[in-house]
Amino acid sequence: MRILLLVSAFNGLSQRVWLALRNLGHDVGVQLAGDGPDIITGVTAARPDLILCSYLTKRVPAEVWQRWPTVILHPGPVGDRGPSSLDWAISDGMARWGVTALQAVEEMDAGPVWATRTFAMPATAMRKSALYTGLVADAALECALEVVEKASDPMFVATPAEKLPVEVPGARLRPAMRQADRSIDWAGPVEQILRRIRAADGAPGVLTEIAGLPVYAYDAHRGPVRKGRPGEVLLRREGAVLIAAGDGSVWLGHLRPVTADGRPGIKLPAVTALGSLVHGVAHASAKSGRAPGTVSGYGQIRYRRDGAVGWLHFDFYNGAMAAGHCRRLLSGLRHAVEQDTRVVVLCSGTEAFSTGIHLNMIEHASDPAAEGWANIRAINEVCKEIITCTTQTVIAAYNGSAGAGGAMLGLGADVVAARDGIVLNPYYDIGLFGSELHTYTLPARVGADQARRLLSDKLPISADHASRIGLVDDVGPRHADRFLEWLATLATEESDPALVRARAEAKQRRLAASPPLGAYEARELAEMSHDLFDDRSGFAAARRVFVSKIGKAVPYLLAS
């Protein structure tokens, strides 16, 4: 079929649908939804057999859905309607939720149903972005595949929603969630505060006040029970601040200060956003904050040992790594390789392995070019530590999707493992040559010709495709818990002393047979210096569009 994805952003869900449909042999194009006339013009040019809207924040013009079969993937179960479905589901603590494929009609989310899936919601409230890229994306992909199969049947007729059972009690028409609905009372219970902030993460955030500064709050984690005035900043750690609440405390990892004209500014690590307002706040010790998501603390990196295997877990918000994040990861990695284990597993969180350098921090800096330069040098140090480790076998575990330099970050490992369903984006078209020692690691994995194609196409690839071309070595189960179990088995197998010696010797031979790593890095940094300091390819403007989300992206992405 000739299928057009009409989307507001070519994000993780859209990319997964695009990849899956292309893998089935369909001719799939992507159009970014602009104004109504732009949509009509683009669809007319594409001449699709079917239009799928896997992420759309704008109404489809009647001129489109009246002429072409148009199906909306709505992030809610049958009976649910409205633009804030996931926000309400998380905030209200729904036990089940779902995705429905609806035919586009005049009234929003009111069309007949092509497919639907439901799933159990986690007992602990998830961030909206994590829910969207995880359970929602899995269900939406199943719905999309069912829609495409039904679209090939000329006898198929979609079922009116009112004729289907409401599988999720409470699913109904809801209004757009406003800031008044999201408001938090710092004297209230921690559970409610967490739900409201997570229901607004990563957009629009929850408007509140921290240290006297109006901000939008994100990246909330349960803190320890500590005494303090509700709303008071108690501690700081790894860029986050601990805020006193009614029955405990909440770590806030990221804030978006409100500008003088009342608009949201740049989303930044909380300590950076608050600046001098928290200069006197004490730093929490490692015991005060453990890993993200635990009952009492906050931390982006943690190390644990299981026999001959050392596990270095890291979880950076949205996968972005500023210079400070890179230095902390480097320190953790050096600690891990100094232990007397035989294998080190570098394992990310489920939302993202890494998305490379931190564009928001670079844009925020007084000298963005210098900040970008420091950032790329810092991430390169992590890459070099992975590449040159010959005392232990290094497994880079892509537990979440990766993009740009983050996709390249783990390629120097002895074994690269990926969770099924993740997406890899080898560099974006953002005006940067790229570094991360990719000119050494990428051709070594996929060959020079394939490396050139990946870098020139700049298109997402699935974990399965990455495995077929040698970019990753092993693909594990899609479910996060099962992936970690599978990964533990893989790490145990890799800890065999003879295999560890063989991998170390092979790595030493590769390093000895190649020019020094410094030569590769020098060539990459020479290119990067032109991009950062001379802005030869428009990095400053592209970065500004990315950070502000204001500006026009490329309107079409055609299937290659």
Side-chain angles (χ1 to χ4, degrees), residues 501-550:
R501 282 195 301 272
R503 289 202 181 279
E505 290 167 0
K507 180 179 278 189
Q508 289 167 345
R509 286 195 297 270
R510 285 196 302 272
L511 289 168
S514 301
L517 288 181
Y520 290 93
E521 184 181 28
R523 287 196 291 266
E524 292 172 5
L525 291 179
E527 299 288 347
M528 289 289 284
S529 68
H530 292 300
D531 295 333
L532 289 168
F533 296 102
D534 302 334
D535 197 26
R536 66 174 176 181
S537 301
F539 172 58
R543 181 186 70 237
R544 210 160 292 125
V545 168
F546 176 88
V547 169
S548 66
K549 304 296 187 288
I550 298 173

Side-chain angles (χ1 to χ4, degrees), residues 238 254 269 298 300-301 316-317 320-330 358 361 382:
E238 295 183 356
H254 284 75
Y298 176 88
Q300 297 161 340
I301 301 168
F316 299 123
Y317 183 72
M321 296 171 60
H325 300 109
C326 297
R327 287 190 288 268
R328 285 196 289 274
L329 183 57
L330 178 64
H358 202 305
M361 288 288 282
V382 178

